[in-house]
Amino acid sequence: MTIDETLVQFIETHLTLENRSNCQWWVGYSGGLDSHLLLLALSKIVARFDGVTLHAVHVNHQLQDQALGWEKHCQSVADQLAVPLSIERVNVDLDHSAGLEAAAREARYGVFKTHLSGSDVLFLAHHQDDQAETLLLRLMRGSGATGLAAMAALSAFENMLLARPLLNVSRDAIEAYAQAHQLKWVEDPSNDDRRYDRNYVRSEIMPLLKSRWPAAASNMARSAELLRMENQQMDLLLAPFYEQAMDKQQRLDIRCLKPLPEITQGQLIRGWLKKLNLPYPSRVNLQRILREVIAAPIDGKPLVRWGVAEVRRYEHWLYGMPVQTPLDTQQVLAWDFSETLVISGLGCLVAQVDPEHEQALALRKPVGGEQVSVRFRQGGEKCRPSRAEHQGKAKTKALKKLMHDYQIPPWLRDRTPLIYYDDQLAAVLGGWVCDGFAAPKGQAGYCLTWTSD
């Protein structure tokens, strides 16, 4: 099967109709051999798919003296193929805690994310030898079954759909295709720097393995795929548990975990964190979650943090989330509901008109020139939830007590947006509308949503 035929088969097998018709395909184009081949091959077959347009994006990391020349080369190739090319320059964090390679990858994917939307697909040129190298690197890090499954042919990452159609194509086949089509590409000198682990594996380890076992790369790639299939089977087996133990807020009910063996608890927590798009904890941190968080008393406030993620507990619930960013809780922000309000360190507030008053509680529209603002808890606030919510039995209470009653976790109480009309507390986001500020039945009101960072 030719590489062009391999691409067609991959697209028809892996992509839904939504992702292979009336959408945009993007190629991450470095100018190197692999991405050049992928761009060429896709440009030859894209016309077979109705309404699909092909684009390329080149990210200049500004780390090499030749970077501007690479931009010109990529533009020249894209012009020859009649493929629109976006060139983006980024500033890579040279002091990134995970190293230069990770920092460059983070910056690159940040660019990709700005270009894709809806049913678009990002095509990446990782091939069989890349997959084998990834497997070896993760073995050296002591990864488990999920990590050893290496790269997926199709995966979601930060709301992007990533496609790697060349994972079963060898480096030798790619070089033969390039020679047959007389391709010209750029060579990144950093690829020869053996201080980087992947370059060392590629130049030292893989040739040695192939000299003894010629099929080493394909066999390792096959092992990664088998592990991925077993992981998928495990996900299917665990699905009923998540239906029972995970609520709409994606919290995990500790009461469902406790009766299970510790090894099963660990597997479930890893799967839960995957659903939250959070990185897996190390074995040590996973043990801390099991023994310090799950086993903590119900009134405890345990916390386990690793990298950019953390797990907390409140009452019977386990919460997984990104590490909280600093927030100025003294700020007072004017808001007229007409536009999304972006709050640094918190997220976005959106107000939508509920014309039919379909929601049980909607915030009434301001009247008489009332000024709307967003504030945060300072201490001493009091209010009474709308009578509609408590059938007329609500009492005026301290905001601190109400937040406890509504089971707002302690770490969110000072970060929960409060809506004020003039100087009166009108609503607590994610909680309730205060008495006197709910939209009367039959009248339009505002439904507020809060999307955290």
Side-chain angles (χ1 to χ4, degrees):
M1 183 181 295
T2 68
I3 288 180
D4 295 351
E5 291 169 341
T6 297
L7 281 179
V8 172
Q9 184 184 67
F10 174 92
I11 291 165
E12 292 178 342
T13 302
H14 288 78
L15 298 186
T16 65
L17 183 62
E18 182 183 18
N19 300 123
R20 52 185 166 92
S21 62
N22 301 309
C23 63
Q24 296 184 100
W25 291 348
W26 291 83
V27 176
Y29 180 37
S30 68
L33 167 59
D34 306 335
S35 60
H36 188 164
L37 176 148
L38 180 59
L39 183 62
L40 170 61
L42 283 172
S43 71
K44 291 163 64 178
I45 67 168
V46 67
R48 303 188 191 188
F49 300 92
D50 293 338
V52 174
T53 56
L54 182 63
H55 303 259
V57 58
H58 172 78
V59 180
N60 182 347
H61 301 91
Q62 304 188 91
L63 297 174
Q64 300 290 342
D65 294 338
Q66 306 95 318
L68 290 178
W70 297 345
E71 285 186 4
K72 294 177 181 178
H73 170 82
C74 290
Q75 187 64 66
S76 175
V77 171
D79 290 343
Q80 292 172 28
L81 298 177
V83 174
L85 173 69
S86 297
I87 296 176
E88 304 280 357
R89 297 176 184 174
V90 296
N91 294 312
V92 177
D93 180 5
L94 301 181
D95 299 317
H96 196 288
S97 59
L100 185 60
E101 289 178 289
R105 182 170 56 252
E106 186 176 295
R108 186 164 60 250
Y109 278 80
V111 168
F112 294 155
K113 188 165 62 172
T114 65
H115 286 279
L116 274 75
S117 62
S119 56
D120 294 351
V121 182
L122 175 64
F123 284 83
L124 301 172
H126 299 110
H127 50 73
Q128 191 177 81
D129 289 67
D130 294 323
Q131 185 77 311
E133 293 162 8
T134 300
L135 176 61
L136 280 174
L137 289 168
R138 293 186 179 178
L139 273 172
M140 296 303 100
R141 295 172 190 159
S143 296
T146 302
L148 295 179
M151 296 179 286
L154 196 69
S155 61
F157 178 76
E158 295 190 1
N159 299 321
M160 295 184 290
L161 184 63
L162 311 184
R164 298 181 175 92
L166 302 179
L167 286 182
N168 290 321
V169 178
S170 69
R171 187 186 304 276
D172 290 343
I174 286 175
E175 291 175 350
Y177 186 99
Q179 184 176 3
H181 290 80
Q182 299 181 327
L183 301 188
K184 294 182 179 180
W185 58 90
V186 301
E187 294 282 2
D188 185 342
S190 69
N191 289 336
D192 296 324
D193 189 342
R194 298 180 185 179
R195 291 176 300 175
Y196 297 118
D197 291 341
R198 184 173 291 274
N199 293 345
Y200 180 80
V201 168
R202 181 177 299 153
S203 61
E204 298 288 338
I205 306 301
M206 289 303 297
L208 184 61
L209 290 175
K210 287 182 177 181
S211 69
R212 179 63 181 257
W213 299 283
S218 61
N219 287 342
M220 284 189 283
R222 184 169 65 253
S223 291
E225 180 59 25
L226 290 172
L227 282 166
R228 182 165 300 281
M229 292 170 64
E230 291 184 8
N231 290 335
Q232 291 170 346
Q233 181 64 31
M234 179 63 72
D235 289 342
L236 291 173
L237 293 173
L238 296 179
F241 170 86
Y242 293 119
E243 290 179 5
Q244 176 187 2
M246 197 164 70
D247 70 355
K248 293 180 180 179
Q249 299 179 50
Q250 293 189 302
R251 304 180 300 178
L252 206 56
D253 192 335
I254 291 172
R255 291 167 294 187
C256 296
L257 282 172
K258 279 191 170 181
L260 302 173
E262 189 173 276
I263 190 170
T264 307
Q265 292 181 19
Q267 185 69 34
L268 289 164
I269 288 171
R270 287 171 60 84
W272 169 62
L273 292 170
K274 179 182 177 182
K275 291 177 181 292
L276 297 176
N277 293 318
L278 294 173
Y280 291 128
S282 66
R283 183 171 60 179
V284 170
N285 282 322
L286 182 59
Q287 287 297 316
R288 290 187 59 205
I289 293 172
L290 295 173
R291 296 173 184 178
E292 297 177 21
V293 181
I294 292 178
I298 192 169
D299 59 348
K301 298 178 182 178
L303 164 66
V304 172
R305 178 177 294 155
W306 68 97
V308 298
E310 61 187 29
V311 167
R312 298 174 183 258
R313 172 179 176 164
Y314 179 55
E315 296 189 344
H316 295 293
W317 295 99
L318 211 58
Y319 293 76
M321 67 201 81
V323 172
Q324 291 182 337
T325 51
L327 173 67
D328 178 9
T329 58
Q330 302 298 313
Q331 61 187 320
V332 176
L333 303 169
W335 192 28
D336 64 2
F337 296 138
S338 62
E339 296 182 356
T340 298
L341 180 66
V342 179
I343 304 177
S344 177
L346 184 68
C348 300
L349 302 186
V350 178
Q352 294 180 313
V353 176
D354 182 14
E356 303 297 330
H357 200 175
E358 294 176 352
Q359 300 293 324
L361 280 175
L363 185 64
R364 68 166 173 80
K365 294 183 176 181
V367 296
E370 288 175 318
Q371 299 298 305
V372 182
S373 62
V374 177
R375 310 180 191 183
F376 298 90
R377 189 166 73 101
Q378 303 299 311
E381 299 91 345
K382 294 182 178 181
C383 74
R384 180 170 66 182
S386 170
R387 290 191 180 95
E389 189 170 350
H390 292 279
Q391 293 80 45
K393 299 178 182 179
K395 296 181 179 179
T396 298
K397 293 183 180 181
L399 180 60
K400 179 179 179 180
K401 180 66 168 63
L402 284 167
M403 285 184 159
H404 177 272
D405 292 346
Y406 277 77
Q407 296 186 320
I408 296 176
W411 61 88
L412 291 181
R413 292 173 189 173
D414 289 341
R415 300 174 66 89
T416 297
L418 309 177
I419 308 301
Y420 276 78
Y421 280 18
D422 291 335
D423 288 322
Q424 290 188 290
L425 180 58
V428 176
L429 260 292
W432 62 91
V433 175
C434 298
D435 194 36
F437 295 94
K441 190 172 183 179
Q443 293 187 18
Y446 287 109
C447 293
L448 310 182
T449 56
W450 165 24
T451 304
S452 60
D453 281 341

